[in-house]
Amino acid sequence: MKKMLAVVGPTASGKSDLAIWLCKKYGGEVVSCDSMQIYKRMNIGTAKPTKEEMQEVKHHLIDFLEPGTEYSVSDYVADAEKCVNDLESRGILPVFCGGTGLYIDSFVSGVKFSEFENDPAVRKKLEDEFHDSGIEGIYNRLSIVDPEIAKSVDIHNTKRVIRALEVYETTGITMTEWNKRSKINADKKECLIVGLDYEDRQTLYNRIDMRVDLMLDKGLLEEAKKLYDEGLFNTKTASQAIAYKEFLPYFKGEEGLENCVEVLKRNSRRYAKRQLTWFRRNKDICWIFKDGKTMDDILNEVFVITDQYFSEEI
């Protein structure tokens, strides 16, 4: 594969705008690395690019699955591989954009995911256990059998907690060990990753709060209500997606709307913090801090880096 670009960072940091500018400058198309933008009808809450933005620059790996459909990181890597091969065969630069660090890291690192059969009986047993006693019990069990993977998984990410335990109970091998094996003979990709952030964390948090208000103005509540009426809050997708799950108490008549909005803002800020913790582990990311800068300032700073990257031979 040839050289690629990626724009990463926390929610509300302006990744999409920068990715579109990079596509315009270098003749590229956006390849999403967002674990929720893949789902149809989850548009406002996932900050999916608008039709106008997609008319300017074509976007890939968004809006192609029904909510509730399971989709793993290995699925993403396989789909991204096909997408990049197609783009490069047509002389188009892939520009990855998104905040799901596991997706972009897994693709760029070239990990080879080991295949093993799912066991529906084991999966159902774990899901029943979760519904009966909550997430704490199965998370604590995961912490005992695979402490390394447990530390990297958010306790509220039920899907990943159950998946990690399923792998161990099905194969007798921990997810940590599977991940180590997958990196053997990995084919690392040539990709410049640009990260966007703010040195003043409060500035980022203010942007997140304002974006939640903007999403509400655009119809987020109505979008969430449609998903709720379709029963999608009972799936592993909408039930875990920030910007949707927070409204469940309101729809059930258990909480007021104002309180749910504040919870959404708080959860979004916490999610941004987790995203930054993930991305900070990657020492290859070129960070751009946006504090006090205009878009022109940011573009000039980024283009110096990207121009140099494309001038260097692999």
Side-chain angles (χ1 to χ4, degrees):
M1 289 186 178
K2 302 175 184 177
K3 292 186 176 183
M4 297 175 289
L5 296 178
V7 181
V8 302
T11 184
S13 58
K15 298 183 293 293
S16 295
D17 287 344
L18 178 55
I20 288 173
W21 275 106
L22 288 169
C23 287
K24 289 178 178 179
K25 179 174 174 64
Y26 296 108
E29 294 180 3
V30 173
V31 181
S32 174
C33 51
D34 185 291
S35 63
M36 288 299 160
Q37 289 186 359
I38 61 177
Y39 294 110
K40 299 176 181 178
R41 302 190 301 286
M42 295 174 66
N43 302 325
I44 300 171
T46 65
K48 197 175 291 180
T50 64
K51 290 182 178 179
E52 290 75 20
E53 289 171 329
M54 288 188 281
Q55 285 172 353
E56 278 192 285
V57 171
K58 190 171 182 180
H59 288 60
H60 303 270
L61 299 187
I62 65 169
D63 210 34
F64 65 97
L65 286 179
E66 284 295 321
T69 305
E70 291 197 30
Y71 190 78
S72 68
V73 63
S74 59
D75 292 328
Y76 176 80
V77 169
D79 286 342
E81 192 98 23
K82 293 175 185 175
C83 182
V84 168
N85 286 338
D86 174 62
L87 292 176
E88 291 184 340
S89 71
R90 295 185 283 118
I92 297 171
L93 174 71
V95 179
F96 284 83
C97 178
T100 303
L102 180 61
Y103 277 13
I104 186 62
D105 285 357
S106 297
F107 177 74
V108 170
S109 64
V111 297
K112 306 298 182 185
F113 288 91
S114 301
E115 296 294 332
F116 48 81
E117 293 295 326
N118 294 332
D119 189 328
V122 172
R123 172 70 62 86
K124 186 176 186 308
K125 177 177 74 71
L126 291 169
E127 290 176 345
D128 289 345
E129 185 177 337
F130 161 67
H131 289 301
D132 290 341
S133 56
I135 190 64
E136 289 79 8
I138 57 176
Y139 181 82
N140 289 338
R141 186 141 55 86
L142 178 62
S143 299
I144 294 171
V145 301
D146 193 354
E148 187 172 337
I149 205 72
K151 289 178 182 177
S152 71
V153 176
D154 180 3
I155 188 174
H156 300 294
N157 193 333
T158 309
K159 179 180 176 180
R160 288 195 66 200
V161 173
I162 289 177
R163 178 59 174 163
L165 265 181
E166 179 193 5
V167 168
Y168 176 73
E169 295 195 4
T170 301
T171 68
I173 301 171
T174 64
M175 179 72 85
T176 296
E177 179 59 26
W178 278 112
N179 289 342
K180 289 178 181 177
R181 295 182 185 186
S182 71
K183 293 177 181 177
I184 297 175
N185 299 321
D187 181 20
K188 187 173 181 179
K189 312 296 190 301
E190 180 65 29
C191 184
L192 172 66
I193 305 178
V194 176
L196 295 180
D197 192 13
Y198 290 84
E199 290 185 298
D200 178 13
R201 189 55 50 84
Q202 190 57 48
T203 300
L204 174 63
Y205 290 166
N206 290 342
R207 283 178 58 90
I208 290 171
D209 290 349
M210 287 188 292
R211 189 165 80 162
V212 169
D213 291 335
L214 182 59
M215 285 178 171
L216 288 166
D217 290 341
K218 290 181 176 179
L220 174 60
L221 183 63
E222 292 76 12
E223 181 175 276
K225 183 62 164 60
K226 288 180 181 179
L227 294 171
Y228 176 75
D229 291 341
E230 291 178 27
L232 293 173
F233 275 62
N234 298 320
T235 70
K236 295 173 188 172
T237 302
S239 64
Q240 293 187 45
I242 294 175
Y244 298 101
K245 64 181 180 180
E246 288 80 10
F247 292 112
L248 183 58
Y250 173 69
F251 295 147
K252 289 184 173 181
E254 299 170 353
E255 292 282 353
L257 178 59
E258 184 177 349
N259 184 60
C260 291
V261 171
E262 287 306 310
V263 171
L264 169 54
K265 291 179 178 179
R266 182 193 67 199
N267 287 350
S268 298
R269 295 191 296 268
R270 289 177 176 175
Y271 177 56
K273 186 176 180 180
R274 293 197 301 273
Q275 288 176 301
L276 284 167
T277 298
W278 178 283
F279 287 125
R280 290 297 181 196
R281 299 185 304 177
N282 187 342
K283 303 304 180 184
D284 294 330
I285 295 178
C286 298
W287 287 99
I288 302 294
F289 293 98
K290 299 177 64 178
D291 308 67
K293 298 175 184 175
T294 66
M295 191 64 190
D296 284 342
D297 294 334
I298 295 165
L299 291 176
N300 289 335
E301 190 173 346
V302 171
F303 290 162
V304 168
I305 298 170
T306 51
D307 284 345
Q308 181 179 352
Y309 170 68
F310 286 116
S311 70
E312 297 171 349
E313 293 189 13
I314 297 178

